[in-house]
Amino acid sequence: MKKSESLLWQKIKKLNLKGQIFRIESTTINGIPDVYWLINNKSIWIELKSNNVKNFGLSKYQINWHLTHYKNGGVSFILREALSHRPSVDYQIAVVREPRTVIELAKFKNLKDAMNQVPRLTGLK
């Protein structure tokens, strides 16, 4: 995970979210998301991004992983901390769907609001 994404993970940990949430680091599975969250008997995978890049800067492996996971009934999304020169930071929640497209579901001004909405946005609440 890149340094800025590691900092985003540290911010998430400080939120003391409900459920079980932890960071995954894998050198054996291409594209697997950075974070696993088990909440209300449901599993959510989260890919962390801190950038302003088109398509959220996802690799082809990450796109393939999200598409395959979705096709098999899994829930996953991308959480991007949009970096900019503006004083405010935007947090965006997105999903990957066919035809290999990143679809933004919502934007938030703070991380806590974004993470609290994840279960609702992903259809788990």
Side-chain angles (χ1 to χ4, degrees), residues 13-115:
K13 280 191 352 183
K14 289 179 183 175
L15 294 176
N16 294 317
L17 298 166
K18 292 180 181 178
Q20 181 183 26
I21 188 166
F22 50 90
R23 181 176 158 188
I24 303 290
E25 292 190 54
S26 175
T27 57
T28 58
I29 303 172
N30 286 333
I32 193 167
D34 303 308
V35 175
Y36 176 79
W37 189 10
L38 180 62
I39 182 169
N40 299 331
N41 300 317
K42 303 293 181 180
S43 297
I44 304 172
W45 288 91
I46 307 166
E47 179 63 41
L48 302 179
K49 293 293 180 185
S50 291
N51 61 41
N52 282 331
V53 181
K54 182 181 176 183
N55 213 27
F56 285 51
L58 295 171
S59 72
K60 66 180 180 181
Y61 301 110
Q62 291 168 325
I63 290 170
N64 289 338
W65 191 98
H66 282 272
L67 286 174
T68 302
H69 191 67
Y70 175 71
K71 288 176 185 176
N72 285 288
V75 176
S76 64
F77 73 95
I78 298 92
L79 172 67
R80 174 165 69 175
E81 178 180 43
L83 305 177
S84 70
H85 299 295
R86 298 178 299 164
S88 66
V89 176
D90 288 328
Y91 295 92
Q92 299 159 317
I93 295 174
V95 293
V96 178
R97 298 293 184 262
E98 291 291 5
R100 302 179 59 77
T101 304
V102 177
I103 301 168
E104 185 180 299
L105 300 178
K107 265 187 187 178
F108 300 90
K109 288 292 181 192
N110 68 66
L111 181 58
K112 186 173 185 174
D113 288 346
M115 292 301 293

